[in-house]
Every structure is written in C-alpha cells, then in structure tokens.
Amino acid sequence: MDAAKIRNFAIIAHIDHGKSTLADRLLELTGSLTAREMQAQVLDSMDLERERGITIKAHAVRMMYTAQDGETYQLNLIDTPGHVDFSYEVSRSLASCEGALLVVDASQGVEAQTLANSYLAINHGLKIIPVINKIDLQSADIPRTKEMIESAVGLDATDAVLISAKTGQGVPDVLEAIVRRVPPPKGNPENQLQALVFDSWFDAYRGVIVLTRVFQGTLRKGQRIRLMWNGTTFDAETLGVLTPKPVEIEQLQAGEVGFLVANIKNVADTKIGDTITHDGNPAIEPLPGFEEIKPMVFAGLYTVDAHEHTQLREALEKLRLNDSSFFFEPESSVALGFGFRCGFLGLLHMEIIQERLEREFNLDLITTAPGVRYKITKTDGEVVEIDNPSRWLNPSEIAKVEEPVILATILSGEEYVGGILALVEEKRGKQKTFEYVASTRVMLHYELPLNEIVLDFYDRLKSVSRGYASLDYHLAGYWDSPMVKLDRHSGGGRACGRPVHHRAPRLRLRTRQGPGFQNARTDPPADV
C-alpha cells in the first residue's frame, strides 16, 4: 500500500482510563471484527489481563478505514503495556509509531503513568492527540482535565477529542483525527532492509512469532534474514498481519507492521529492540535504541510441597519460552529446601509470573521477600553485583557499596501531601521538584532507593492518600550506601510437613546513617 495512506499509532493511558475499551470500539467501527466475534478487551488475550484490567503483552492490529474524504487508509494500532515494569517494551513500541492517542479519564485527570508514557512519546517525536474519555460520567470535569493536560504534559488540549469509549460517543472523531493529524511513515521500500523487533512470543507449533515494524526496505516471504544483535540467520517462512485474526501476506514494505515466523526455536534470540536485516545485503548499522533488558527485582520461589521442585523447574523453563526478560537459577534454604532465585522487571512482573506458574502449572508457591541487586566495588578494584544477601562479601573485601536509585513521579490531591512527604522521607527519599499541575493537584519528583519501594511502598502510598495518589518511576542510577549484613537466627522449620514462612532464617541488610542504623531490606530465607 502507498505509504501516504498508512498511519501507525499507539494508545497511551493510565490503568483503567479506557485504553482497551477504546481499542474495542476502533475495531468495531473499522469492521475488523463482526459483532459475533467481539468481546470486551478483545486484544487482552490472557485471563490475568482481563481480571486486572491491564495490558501485559503488546499487540499490533491492522484496520482498514474509509475516511470522510473517501480515501481508504491502513491504520496500524500497536497496543502497548502501560505499567512501569514494561517501560522498555513501551519505548520500542512507541518507536514503531508516528503518533499516539493520549487517553485521559475526564473524572480523574492526568495520572503519573499517563505522564511518564507521554514524555516517552514526546521524546520519540510522536504526534500526540489528546483524547478525553468517559465524558458520559456525572463526575466528568472536561475543563479541569484540559487544564491538567496543558499544565502537566505541556500539550495544547483545545482540540482534544471528547469521547465515551463505553457508549461509542465521539469515537468516529478519533479515527478522523488519526488520519488528519498523524503523519504517514517515512522510508524507501528499495533501501536495505531495517525492521524493528518490538515483541515476540513462543508458539508450540510454529516457534517464535516476532512482531516487527519495517523502517526501510522490504521484508519478503522466503528471504534469508539476519538478527543484528547476535548475528543469527533464519529463513522468513511466513509473513502476516493481525486483523486481529492472523492473515498471511507475501511481503511487508517500509512503513508497515506485521508478524514474522522463521523457525526460531528460542525467544531469547529475538531481543526486543533488535534490528532485522537481509543476510545477503545487510544494513550498515542497526536501528537506534536497543538495550539489554536487565532484571530489577529478585526473589526466591519455592514449592509448598518439596516433591514438586522438579515440576517448578520445568514450569519455569516453559514460561521463559514466552518471557525472556526474567531469569532463574537454583538456590537452597534450610527452611524451605530447594528452590530458584528469580529476577523480574518489577513487582507487577513478579506477581504475573507467580500467578501464571500457579494457574497454568497447578503449583503452590512460596515467594520470599523481594530485593534488589547491589553493586559492590572490592578493595582490589573489581566490581561485582549481588542480588542475594547470602552471597554478601566479607567486609574486609568491600571498598564501596552502591544501591539502585529510582526517580519517582507522584501525583496526588493537595490534602494528602503531608502524609506522602512523611512516607517518602521515611523511605530515604530526596525531593527534586514540587509543583501544582492544577488548582488542587500536586506533582512530586523524588529520588528513592529502589530497595525501599519493592515491599510495601505502593500499598502505603495508596493508604495515606486514600487511593488517590498515583506512582510512576524509572531507574536513575546508583547511590553510595555503606551497608552491613546482619545475620538473624530464629526458630523455624516445618510444621506438619509444611514450611513456616515467618519463622525462616533471615538475612537483613542495614544501612548505616548517622549515629544509628536504618533497616533497608529483609530477605528470607537464606542460609546463615
């Protein structure tokens, strides 16, 4: 199709602001699915996504839309996860688009997650279209919502599209706004092939299925392709697009989005952000922005029944086929027996992995308290990273200890600021900015140790703000933290053949601050 008639866009929104519902309405209006095939949250295929109202996996859906000018356009919706844990995946999905719909709830206004993903889209140079949703609610305050979009995000909201995704009111205006305001993709189909991998998953019958956006050149069926990160080569056996049903095609040209099947056995070979090129005539350099995804939060997984250890290992290996962003390695504990030390992108990622293991593989699991990875500089200059207190070095070998630090964005009503400030100060936070984004809404930026937020920070933030505060964060570097290891022995073991979690031996890392000590993290169980 002529690139001038193609529009690639994403939808960015805070949790429960109506992103999946709007996607449903767009699919309906463009005739991508019949009324019989439609269901709520049609792009959220996992039970967990439907229950929690979140998007975990990215999707790319092609819709054909005949605009008011009579021209037919190809609209590619790249549906992205919205949670902070998946911010890198979101960045690669946004890099595949030229525009984005910024969906804001008319009754709640701009939230922290909206803000973070908006800045991400702005940094990628996307054309952002403000969309104010849920205008049918009695509590909807459209002027205040426009004011927040302009003051917090910095976008002109005078021509924001007003809709109710639930009832369908105003949704046709969204399609027209996409056609009119989002620029068409650039790129020459005759150039050397450069295609971005923005998601992948494992299919038991076809191997790894890769979602890709072609930036330059043409990707053809049967072509010998090369993944530039590791240099592996494959034959492109199948090309297709999701409508959202899979439809096979012969080629993907510059500007188009689709999926690729190439008999790839391991999902770890298809790194998100990698560049696909032609093996015989490769591109000179890969597309920018590729990063290795590193786990941020670490915890131990053990089975309640010690005899299920083998099933847990097999379950982790199968799950990793679909999610290369978490890793696991064996570990053991006197209290809980044999288990695995796992690394996750964040707390939500950890919860999702645990729930999938329990549901899909029928396992009863015990998860130890989450911790983070510390960077230790030894006296001989060597730098090592430690994610388990049981592997802490001898104090005589340690020259410096550093812990990961996040930059947190907190949005809340002004009446809850006192409690929030007390909480972040207790968690060793350092204030960066304090500003009003509306007459009664405050935005705080704080530097906080990641170690301090992985246990109960989010729950306590919701408690002190009566559920009104929202949080978003990203890694900002490392702090020097002169920590010491505290080994605490306590009674425990197994009662009636079942492990007693709260009695397990614990290791505690404590941070020396001034004359006293401040607890940093408790990480049960570990051998001492």
Side-chain angles (χ1 to χ4, degrees):
M1 190 172 193
D2 182 6
K5 302 292 177 61
I6 298 175
R7 301 290 186 270
N8 299 318
F9 70 100
I11 303 176
I12 52 181
H14 192 75
I15 292 172
D16 201 34
H17 278 209
K19 178 162 75 80
S20 295
T21 308
L22 175 58
D24 290 348
R25 298 291 83 74
L26 295 179
L27 288 170
E28 277 184 354
L29 284 173
T30 55
S32 301
L33 289 175
T34 63
R36 183 175 58 85
E37 294 169 318
M38 277 302 300
Q39 58 178 332
Q41 295 173 255
V42 69
L43 296 184
D44 294 337
S45 54
M46 293 169 55
D47 290 341
L48 278 173
E49 292 179 309
R50 294 176 178 279
E51 290 172 15
R52 289 171 173 257
I54 58 175
T55 300
I56 297 170
K57 294 295 290 180
H59 299 273
V61 183
R62 175 181 289 189
M63 301 175 286
M64 304 307 294
Y65 171 64
T66 302
Q68 292 177 357
D69 59 8
E71 298 286 346
T72 299
Y73 292 85
Q74 180 191 120
L75 308 182
N76 293 312
L77 165 60
I78 299 176
D79 188 32
T80 63
H83 196 271
V84 61
D85 286 3
F86 310 108
S87 59
Y88 174 67
E89 287 92 328
V90 173
S91 75
R92 295 303 85 210
S93 297
L94 292 178
S96 303
C97 303
E98 282 76 36
L101 302 178
L102 173 62
V103 179
V104 180
D105 188 326
S107 62
Q108 297 181 39
V110 174
E111 300 285 0
Q113 205 172 296
T114 319
L115 206 58
N117 288 341
S118 299
Y119 290 155
L120 209 55
I122 291 169
N123 291 338
H124 281 91
L126 270 60
K127 173 63 179 178
I128 301 178
I129 302 172
V131 177
I132 299 177
N133 190 23
K134 304 187 182 181
I135 60 172
D136 56 317
L137 297 180
Q138 288 186 348
S139 56
D141 189 341
I142 295 172
R144 172 177 163 273
T145 305
K146 287 185 176 182
E147 178 195 345
M148 289 186 68
I149 292 173
E150 292 179 347
S151 57
V153 185
L155 292 174
D156 182 7
T158 53
D159 56 352
V161 185
L162 308 181
I163 69 164
S164 169
K166 184 177 180 180
T167 64
Q169 178 186 349
V171 177
D173 297 334
V174 174
L175 291 167
E176 285 297 317
I178 293 168
V179 169
R180 291 196 313 271
R181 300 192 212 174
V182 175
K186 299 176 181 177
N188 188 341
E190 305 302 322
N191 287 351
Q192 294 163 315
L193 176 63
Q194 285 181 308
L196 177 72
V197 176
F198 62 87
D199 198 19
S200 62
W201 66 88
F202 186 81
D203 183 274
Y205 301 101
R206 310 179 77 182
V208 177
I209 298 176
V210 178
L211 291 182
T212 183
R213 152 75 194 272
V214 181
F215 279 85
Q216 296 287 349
T218 302
L219 179 58
R220 295 181 175 86
K221 187 175 179 179
Q223 199 172 47
R224 188 73 177 173
I225 60 170
R226 181 192 302 174
L227 297 170
M228 298 187 75
W229 176 76
N230 56 13
T232 54
T233 59
F234 303 94
D235 290 321
E237 296 180 351
T238 304
L239 296 177
V241 296
L242 299 171
T243 64
K245 297 174 290 186
V247 176
E248 290 192 19
I249 58 175
E250 290 299 313
Q251 65 180 30
L252 287 169
Q253 290 188 334
E256 293 188 317
V257 178
F259 69 85
L260 161 72
V261 179
N263 198 27
I264 304 171
K265 303 295 186 185
N266 190 350
V267 75
D269 288 337
T270 55
K271 297 283 187 181
I272 293 177
D274 197 4
T275 301
I276 299 172
T277 190
H278 187 269
D279 186 45
N281 183 25
I284 298 173
E285 58 185 19
L287 294 165
F290 174 72
E291 294 177 15
E292 276 273 23
I293 303 178
K294 289 188 176 182
M296 299 288 293
V297 174
F298 299 83
L301 287 180
Y302 295 82
T303 54
V304 170
D305 186 345
H307 299 293
E308 293 182 340
H309 175 263
T310 302
Q311 289 95 301
L312 176 58
R313 186 186 69 244
E314 292 173 352
L316 287 168
E317 288 171 349
K318 289 178 181 178
L319 200 56
R320 198 174 190 280
L321 288 173
N322 272 312
D323 188 353
S324 61
S325 58
F326 91 99
F327 89 99
F328 63 93
E329 60 185 11
E331 74 170 4
S332 61
S333 161
V334 172
L336 300 177
F338 292 102
F340 294 91
R341 188 74 175 174
C342 302
F344 309 92
L345 297 176
L347 290 178
L348 177 70
H349 190 215
M350 184 180 78
E351 289 180 32
I352 290 166
I353 294 295
Q354 182 183 352
E355 286 200 40
R356 290 189 67 183
L357 288 169
E358 292 178 341
R359 291 184 185 197
E360 297 175 21
F361 302 97
N362 197 27
L363 295 169
D364 291 324
L365 298 178
I366 296 172
T367 306
T368 66
V372 301
R373 178 177 281 168
Y374 298 91
K375 191 181 290 184
I376 298 177
T377 304
K378 300 169 69 174
T379 51
D380 61 3
E382 181 186 358
V383 178
V384 296
E385 293 185 335
I386 291 180
D387 56 64
N388 192 333
S390 65
R391 299 173 187 162
W392 201 256
L393 302 180
N394 190 306
S396 62
E397 300 179 53
I398 299 175
K400 182 173 66 172
V401 179
E402 296 173 284
E403 63 177 328
V405 177
I406 60 155
L407 180 62
T409 302
I410 301 171
L411 275 166
S412 176
E414 61 178 355
E415 63 268 34
Y416 307 114
V417 168
I420 293 172
L421 292 179
L423 174 62
V424 291
E425 293 294 334
E426 176 192 332
K427 297 293 187 179
R428 300 188 284 141
K430 293 182 180 177
Q431 188 179 113
K432 305 298 288 183
T433 64
F434 181 114
E435 58 184 294
Y436 278 84
V437 295
S439 57
T440 59
R441 294 278 286 176
V442 174
M443 181 168 63
L444 306 172
H445 284 104
Y446 261 84
E447 280 188 342
L448 286 159
L450 177 61
N451 184 46
E452 293 287 359
I453 72 161
V454 296
L455 263 186
D456 62 348
F457 181 81
Y458 188 73
D459 290 338
R460 291 184 61 187
L461 176 66
K462 287 294 184 183
S463 178
V464 299
S465 66
R466 298 184 184 177
Y468 286 103
S470 59
L471 168 73
D472 196 275
Y473 62 87
H474 64 268
L475 191 65
Y478 283 82
W479 271 353
D480 281 3
S481 296
M483 292 187 171
V484 295
K485 182 178 75 170
L486 173 68
D487 296 346
R488 190 179 76 181
H489 297 262
S490 61
R494 294 182 181 267
C496 304
R498 294 171 68 88
V500 183
H501 186 190
H502 66 279
R503 289 185 177 181
R506 294 171 179 252
L507 280 177
R508 178 167 291 169
L509 297 180
R510 311 187 89 181
T511 304
R512 186 186 297 275
Q513 289 191 333
F517 286 100
Q518 178 173 348
N519 292 347
R521 175 64 52 240
T522 301
D523 193 2
D527 296 334
V528 292

